[in-house]
Amino acid sequence: MDALLNSASGGAAPLIKDSSTAGFRADVIDASMEVPIIVDFWATWCGPCKTLGPLLEKQVQAAGGKVRLVKVDIDQNQALAAQLRIQSVPTVYAFYQGRPVDGFMGAVPESQVKSFIDKLVQLAGHDDHDHVDQLLAEAKSVLDSGNVEEAAGIYQHVLAHAPDSAAAAAGLARCLIALGETEQAKQFLDSLTPEMARHADVLAAKSALELAEQSAVALAGLAGLRQRLEANPNDHEARYELSTALYGAGEQDAAMDELLELFRRDREWNEQAARKQLVKLFEALGPTDPLTLSGRRRLSSLLFS
């Protein structure tokens, strides 16, 4: 998970790079799932290539990461040039979402290069929001099914594509928590921008992290906590710790039951610790989780009983 976290928090792909037949799939097809990739097929003996190349590089840099440029020397990569039917140079193709979407041949004025790139940026912009939403929904479904590593990979992909996605950052943090990497999760959450840190999803992930850290200690004494409660049902500290241990064991419903029972027995105990812990549990589970909805109803009933 170290490489995954490092990739999510930095290490952006270069805007301009050389590629080859062997690297074409990774550098162009796979990379175009994130942003449009412009491929400049050129040759050292080609005069117009020496004019067009700098114009492409200038406009790609001006686009600020919304497109990338991959340069392919056809003499060094003849098989690839033949496969793509490159008949003259310079030839420029644009790929997005794994397929070619535009292109032109020959040296063109800078204004045409800019227009070409602007259209690609616009094309990707129309798709960005829906694409990110689809990936976030997929990642959540995968995480809920228990495939944490795969979900983390999807969240990482979203962050590479949309680094300001608080939902993806929160999702990746939850993956780290699920893998037991609580220290990495803490460092990752601490590295987020202030704006992202205030997002509801990130605040919920922080609550989940706090609960995970508490439960790691309480879980070791689970059996002893049960014995203490059997001996004295009014041992509020034992009940509170038991709820924390149950959360760590994945028994969120049972953890909520114990907190609600503690609140019923003594709502003022330890400065309303049961209510505060319930609120943290609701945050960690999310506002639409069935347990949150039922827990809030039960807490309201106790408050006004």
Side-chain angles (χ1 to χ4, degrees):
M1 287 302 297
D2 286 338
L4 178 67
L5 189 55
N6 290 338
S7 176
S9 58
L15 294 181
I16 302 167
K17 69 181 299 185
D18 294 311
S19 190
S20 63
T21 303
F24 189 82
R25 170 162 289 279
D27 293 338
V28 177
I29 305 301
D30 293 345
S32 74
M33 300 305 292
E34 299 177 8
V35 295
I37 304 296
I38 298 168
V39 187
D40 176 21
F41 293 95
W42 66 287
T44 54
W45 46 263
C46 168
C49 295
K50 296 175 183 178
T51 300
L52 180 65
L55 296 182
L56 283 169
E57 293 181 16
K58 177 183 175 182
Q59 292 301 322
V60 165
Q61 289 172 336
K66 294 179 180 178
V67 297
R68 299 180 201 150
L69 175 64
V70 170
K71 301 175 70 67
V72 176
D73 183 338
I74 63 166
D75 289 335
Q76 300 297 320
N77 300 278
Q78 295 181 17
L80 178 61
Q83 181 181 350
L84 295 177
R85 300 180 182 178
I86 306 300
Q87 298 178 347
S88 64
V89 288
T91 291
V92 175
Y93 284 154
F95 290 77
Y96 185 55
Q97 298 293 290
R99 59 186 177 84
V101 292
D102 203 353
F104 62 86
M105 290 185 293
V108 299
E110 184 171 3
S111 60
Q112 191 171 331
V113 172
K114 184 178 186 305
S115 176
F116 175 75
I117 291 176
D118 286 345
K119 285 195 295 183
L120 293 174
V121 171
Q122 185 179 22
L123 170 67
H126 284 316
D127 291 345
D128 272 350
H129 185 73
D130 290 343
H131 182 57
V132 166
D133 285 348
Q134 290 171 3
L135 287 174
L136 288 172
E138 180 185 354
K140 184 178 185 306
S141 176
V142 171
L143 181 57
D144 290 345
S145 72
N147 195 335
V148 182
E149 291 279 5
E150 183 180 347
I154 299 172
Y155 284 125
Q156 179 209 17
H157 177 82
V158 173
L159 286 170
H161 187 63
D164 59 346
S165 173
L172 182 56
R174 286 181 179 274
C175 289
L176 291 169
I177 295 167
L179 291 168
E181 303 287 353
T182 54
E183 185 58 34
Q184 286 192 49
K186 185 177 186 303
Q187 292 175 5
F188 176 62
L189 289 170
D190 287 344
S191 73
L192 299 179
T193 64
E195 183 178 0
M196 290 176 71
R198 291 191 296 268
H199 193 278
D201 289 342
V202 173
L203 292 173
K206 288 182 177 179
S207 291
L209 175 60
E210 291 173 11
L211 288 168
E213 290 175 328
Q214 293 171 7
S215 64
V217 177
L219 194 55
L222 182 59
L225 291 168
R226 292 187 189 277
Q227 291 174 357
R228 283 173 58 184
L229 268 184
E230 287 177 5
N232 178 13
N234 283 319
D235 187 340
H236 299 331
E237 182 181 12
R239 193 176 298 279
Y240 183 89
E241 292 297 326
L242 176 60
S243 73
T244 305
L246 289 169
Y247 178 88
E251 300 180 39
Q252 289 94 341
D253 52 347
M256 192 174 295
D257 287 343
E258 295 298 343
L259 287 172
L260 287 164
E261 176 62 16
L262 173 53
F263 184 81
R264 186 189 69 80
R265 287 174 178 267
D266 187 349
R267 65 181 62 188
E268 298 300 328
W269 177 78
N270 199 15
E271 298 181 345
Q272 296 193 1
R275 183 189 60 79
K276 293 175 182 177
Q277 190 77 337
L278 278 166
V279 170
K280 188 177 293 184
L281 187 57
F282 297 154
E283 289 177 345
L285 291 172
T288 61
D289 188 281
L291 275 178
T292 298
L293 296 174
S294 65
R296 286 192 183 280
R297 285 195 300 268
R298 293 166 65 190
L299 179 59
S300 295
S301 297
L302 291 171
L303 280 168
F304 298 107
S305 61

